[in-house]
Amino acid sequence: MPNSSRSPRTHSTGHLPTLKLHANREKSVRNRHPWIFSGAIAHWPQELEDGGLAAVSAANGERLGYAYVNRRCSIAARMVAFGDAEPYTAIRDNLTRAVAFRRKHFDPAQTNAVRLVNGEGDMLPGLIVDQYADVLVVQISTLGMERLKPFVLETLVELTQPRAVYEKSDVAARYEEGLTDFAGLLYGRDFGPLVVTEQGLRFHVDIKHGQKTGLFLDQRDMRALVQSLAAGRRVLNGFAYTGGFSLYARHGQAQQVVSVDSSGGALRLAQGNHILNGFSVTDDDFVEADMFAYLRQLDAAAFDFIILDPPALARKREDVIRAGRAYKDLNRLAMAKVAPGGLVLTCSCSHFVDEKLFGQIVFQAACEAGRQVRILHRHRQALDHPVSVFHPEGSYLKSLLLSVD
């Protein structure tokens, strides 16, 4: 539990060692990009420990800001403050702005499951914070942010007064940073499964055992798009997880909605979410199966709206070629099987498959399916998942709404 006897405002950096960059390697930092690669660093102070804070200077000695560091990583430093801003003050100010922005744009009576902090998009690299009702879920991916965790926790509690703060840090990036996975209660009272509201619909959330931090909050606006298009359509929701797209389609007056997922446990939660919102359920509407196999055996034109939102198929750069083949097969099958004049919503959350490559994959799938395909809509980024213009690498989720004739 945070030490309430000391306000975050009393934190002081004192004298910090200085990390000096090579000549002509400071341009990206001047442009407020938060990452500094190891090859740009000319001098490492001996007293600087991995995970610690350092001042960052250009080759001529000009102060550029402050970063936390880790020699063992290719991204050796990540900026937390630029110019003369003191690092703890900057972190606190960025947390304050992040929380205030979400409070401005989200009515908790309609949506009380939001991302409060989106890493570099909120100038807080290595930190994700999601709020589910009165519980915060923290995910930390870097050693530097791990060292800052007590201060961040103290500030979050002061700003949001949560019932509990739970950490669920299980991302692959932690291993390069020298960290292991961690999950546990950081603050407040223990809790069980929650019920949250998203755009008027209600969802069961199992933070401790579900994927990510509980819900795929980054698809909120695309779920609303599905709702707006679902009326009278036969909808197939692949990789349905706990049924977010399915529930929105039902709410949008779809004629039929079938949810397919390889996890029986996820589908049971999906059924529970339908019941929670007053929708009838039958076993035929929830199919435990591999989506690739399901599409191969599916009768042509059985559905006129197919949704593909698979988990990341490329979790590291070496996976891209294999993942590209899988994405192409998946999209080819959906395009071949959807009814004429139907819709396919296809998504990728693989960071290493960028928007250009994903578009090429979809193009190849359309060629092989032999269908006329048009793009109707590109991914609409939810307001609580901002991407910094100085850090375009923060954009990872791609979605295309396709019309297939």
Side-chain angles (χ1 to χ4, degrees):
M1 181 173 176
N3 181 355
S4 59
S5 66
R6 183 181 67 182
S7 165
R9 295 181 184 86
T10 66
H11 279 269
S12 175
T13 54
H15 173 71
L16 288 176
T18 297
L19 196 71
K20 184 174 286 189
L21 304 185
H22 284 293
N24 302 316
R25 296 298 297 270
E26 76 279 3
K27 181 178 178 180
S28 64
V29 179
R30 292 190 192 280
N31 288 337
R32 302 185 70 83
H33 194 290
W35 294 354
I36 301 174
F37 289 89
S38 57
I41 298 171
H43 172 68
W44 284 94
Q46 285 188 338
E47 69 272 27
L48 181 56
E49 296 182 356
D50 285 342
L53 286 169
V56 178
S57 75
N60 64 4
E62 178 190 354
R63 172 71 53 77
L64 300 173
Y66 294 89
Y68 61 70
V69 303
N70 193 342
R71 288 176 178 84
R72 65 182 291 160
C73 298
S74 57
I75 304 173
R78 299 175 195 250
M79 301 294 292
V80 296
F82 291 94
D84 294 327
E86 194 273 337
Y88 283 101
T89 300
I91 292 167
R92 179 181 176 82
D93 288 347
N94 288 329
L95 284 167
T96 302
R97 276 192 292 268
V99 171
F101 180 81
R102 277 67 174 186
R103 285 177 173 166
K104 178 180 179 180
H105 290 284
F106 292 93
D107 176 3
Q110 284 293 308
T111 299
N112 65 358
V114 299
R115 174 149 294 183
L116 286 185
V117 177
N118 194 44
E120 284 86 350
D122 287 299
M123 196 48 224
L124 292 159
L127 179 66
I128 297 293
V129 183
D130 290 338
Q131 180 169 10
Y132 296 98
D134 56 357
V135 174
L136 302 186
V137 185
V138 173
Q139 184 180 85
I140 291 173
S141 58
T142 59
L143 178 61
M145 191 55 70
E146 178 71 23
R147 296 283 181 87
L148 291 165
K149 182 165 67 176
F151 174 72
V152 168
L153 177 62
E154 189 176 358
T155 306
L156 283 170
V157 169
E158 180 182 324
L159 291 171
T160 66
Q161 301 295 308
R163 170 162 58 108
V165 181
Y166 187 81
E167 182 176 353
K168 189 176 182 182
S169 296
D170 56 0
V171 292
R174 287 176 65 90
Y175 293 96
E176 184 184 359
E177 293 276 338
L179 298 168
T180 58
D181 290 350
F182 175 80
L185 189 69
L186 301 181
Y187 169 85
R189 306 189 306 274
D190 201 4
F191 58 92
L194 306 172
V195 173
V196 300
T197 301
E198 182 183 274
Q199 298 181 126
L201 293 171
R202 302 174 74 203
F203 289 86
H204 293 285
V205 177
D206 189 348
I207 290 171
K208 297 179 181 179
H209 304 106
Q211 296 183 36
K212 289 196 174 182
T213 61
L215 280 180
F216 295 115
L217 300 177
D218 49 11
Q219 286 284 28
R220 184 192 307 108
D221 285 9
M222 299 309 290
R223 288 192 280 269
L225 178 63
V226 165
Q227 178 179 314
S228 72
L229 297 168
R233 296 185 184 273
R234 298 163 298 161
V235 179
L236 171 61
N237 181 18
F239 309 95
Y241 187 43
T242 56
F245 279 114
S246 303
L247 190 56
Y248 273 77
R250 288 288 298 270
H251 192 55
Q253 306 299 314
Q255 175 185 331
Q256 177 191 15
V257 182
V258 174
S259 303
V260 177
D261 199 277
S262 60
S263 168
L267 290 174
R268 285 188 289 275
L269 282 173
Q271 287 180 311
N273 285 334
H274 280 68
I275 294 169
L276 182 65
N277 287 275
F279 295 113
S280 60
V281 298
T282 68
D283 289 341
D284 292 340
D285 295 334
F286 300 88
V287 180
E288 185 177 347
D290 173 80
M291 186 60 181
F292 289 85
Y294 184 87
L295 283 172
R296 289 190 182 96
Q297 58 80 39
L298 183 67
D299 292 337
F303 295 95
D304 42 30
F305 196 167
I306 298 178
I307 300 164
L308 305 173
D309 186 21
L313 300 181
R315 297 188 179 276
K316 54 185 183 296
R317 195 173 300 280
E318 294 78 15
D319 295 339
V320 168
I321 293 176
R322 177 190 57 77
R325 294 192 190 104
Y327 280 122
K328 186 184 72 172
D329 288 346
L330 184 64
N331 282 277
R332 175 182 56 80
L333 287 165
M335 292 176 193
K337 295 299 180 75
V338 72
L343 301 174
V344 173
L345 175 63
T346 180
C347 311
S348 168
C349 62
S350 296
H351 173 77
F352 295 104
V353 177
D354 63 21
E355 187 172 358
K356 181 180 179 181
L357 177 56
F358 189 57
Q360 292 171 341
I361 291 168
V362 171
F363 162 76
Q364 292 169 350
C367 290
E368 293 185 13
R371 303 291 292 271
Q372 180 69 31
V373 179
R374 293 171 291 167
I375 297 173
L376 303 181
H377 205 294
R378 296 183 185 272
H379 185 76
R380 187 165 62 207
Q381 192 83 15
L383 287 176
D384 54 342
H385 288 69
V387 175
S388 170
V389 297
F390 309 110
H391 182 257
E393 298 92 334
S395 180
Y396 66 95
L397 184 59
K398 289 78 58 180
S399 304
L400 293 172
L401 178 67
L402 308 173
S403 172
V404 183
D405 295 321

